[in-house]
Amino acid sequence: MWKTILRRIVLMLPQLFILTILVFALSILMPGDALTGTIDPTISAAQLEAMREKLGLNKPWYERYIDWMKGVLVGDFGRSWKYKQPVLSIIGQRVWPTIWLSLFTAILTYLIALPLGLLAGRYQDSWIDRTINLYNFISYSMPSFVLGLLMIWLFGYTLKWFPTRGTISSGVTPGTIQAMLSRLYHIILPGTTLALISTTGTIQYLRTGIIDAKSQDYVRTARAKGVPEAVVYRRHIFRNSLLPIAAFMGYTITGLVSGAVITENIFTYQGMGRLFLDSISGRDFSVMMTLVLFFGFMTLLGTLLSDIIMVFVDPRIRID
């Protein structure tokens, strides 16, 4: 299995190389450049041209791509034109808030989705099943920004239970227990918003899997032997119904890292999603291209992680 994992990682390299070309091409096609709208409007055309020449913006696109790739290969992703700092330093400040948000969302998603999917499949066509299907329909059709605004209005401004913006309270000393609790307090509202709109697929797959498994021969055999119904569902039906969920579990987990762009912007959560939008609006191409590469790598990593998870869920499956 380890040889296969290593081979899959090696195969990611040409995919990431193609992604670099696409990302760079899109950045070239965007209107304007890093100096657009960020300098004194009274500056002369000659001075502006000199600044573009100094930054290398007047070079042909292929020279700029080669220069950028030379830096990427040695771990230098350039400097942010907006923050005047190395790109990796800026992303390093934002990556952990996004990771903690993603972990909280993933845990909460499965804590909600697995029991609901099990209940919907076990009590098929009952009022429980219809209620869960109604919840699924609403969560699937509701945009994340609409749910986020509703959560802010209800739990932030009306009930005043949770903060509506930021990642940590002001005046809190970093590295302390109080800082950890403050970060968790700020994660609850955006994390719950993401979790509620991320449960649909898991609930539906689990419900369908349980309905199919209930009619299988091994389930009828277990019941004929007098196995208690709770044990039948726990050891036979539920475990076999997890296979479709395991097939995309890794992608779901890693996808949360790159998929919280809108939610982070609504809650002013200082993570990579908000940084990505700021880099686009500010034409900070070095940051934008690095983030797209990172999101692409996480997507590829998610597919590999799903295969590994399936091996542990069903030992009969082997990665070949």
Side-chain angles (χ1 to χ4, degrees), residues 80-143:
S80 168
W81 294 334
K82 178 180 180 181
Y83 297 99
K84 311 301 180 184
Q85 297 179 26
V87 172
L88 290 184
S89 176
I90 299 171
I91 294 178
Q93 300 169 11
R94 302 291 189 96
V95 65
W96 284 109
T98 296
I99 288 177
W100 292 125
L101 175 62
S102 301
L103 288 176
F104 178 87
T105 302
I107 293 172
L108 186 59
T109 296
Y110 288 110
L111 285 177
I112 296 173
L114 293 182
L116 291 183
L118 178 60
L119 288 173
R122 183 171 183 176
Y123 301 103
Q124 180 186 3
D125 296 329
S126 67
W127 67 269
I128 296 177
D129 184 27
R130 289 193 292 270
T131 302
I132 295 174
N133 283 331
L134 177 62
Y135 160 77
N136 251 7
F137 175 78
I138 296 175
S139 63
Y140 182 76
S141 60
M142 181 173 292

Side-chain angles (χ1 to χ4, degrees), residues 239 243 309-319:
R239 182 171 181 176
L243 291 179
I309 291 174
M310 287 193 67
V311 172
F312 288 100
V313 172
D314 190 348
R316 297 172 298 178
I317 299 175
R318 291 291 180 265
I319 301 179

Side-chain angles (χ1 to χ4, degrees), residues 1-2 4-6 8-9 246-247 250 301-314 317-319:
M1 184 177 74
W2 294 109
T4 304
I5 293 175
L6 180 60
R8 291 279 296 273
I9 292 175
L301 184 63
T303 59
L304 175 61
L305 184 58
S306 293
D307 291 341
I308 297 174
I309 291 174
M310 287 193 67
V311 172
F312 288 100
V313 172
D314 190 348
I317 299 175
R318 291 291 180 265
I319 301 179

Side-chain angles (χ1 to χ4, degrees), residues 188-200:
I188 292 176
L189 209 56
T192 303
T193 300
L194 279 172
L196 290 176
I197 62 176
S198 302
T199 57
T200 305

Side-chain angles (χ1 to χ4, degrees), residues 22-91:
L22 294 176
V23 171
F24 194 85
L26 290 175
S27 67
I28 295 296
L29 294 174
M30 288 180 64
D33 53 37
L35 299 179
T36 303
T38 60
I39 57 177
D40 188 348
T42 62
I43 192 171
S44 66
Q47 291 175 310
L48 181 60
E49 191 66 19
M51 294 177 65
R52 286 199 170 94
E53 187 69 29
K54 182 180 179 181
L55 292 174
L57 299 179
N58 290 334
K59 290 183 179 181
W61 68 268
Y62 53 88
E63 290 186 13
R64 293 166 59 187
Y65 175 76
I66 293 174
D67 292 340
W68 179 61
M69 282 300 299
K70 286 180 180 178
V72 170
L73 292 176
V74 296
D76 181 9
F77 291 86
R79 293 179 62 86
S80 168
W81 294 334
K82 178 180 180 181
Y83 297 99
K84 311 301 180 184
Q85 297 179 26
V87 172
L88 290 184
S89 176
I90 299 171
I91 294 178

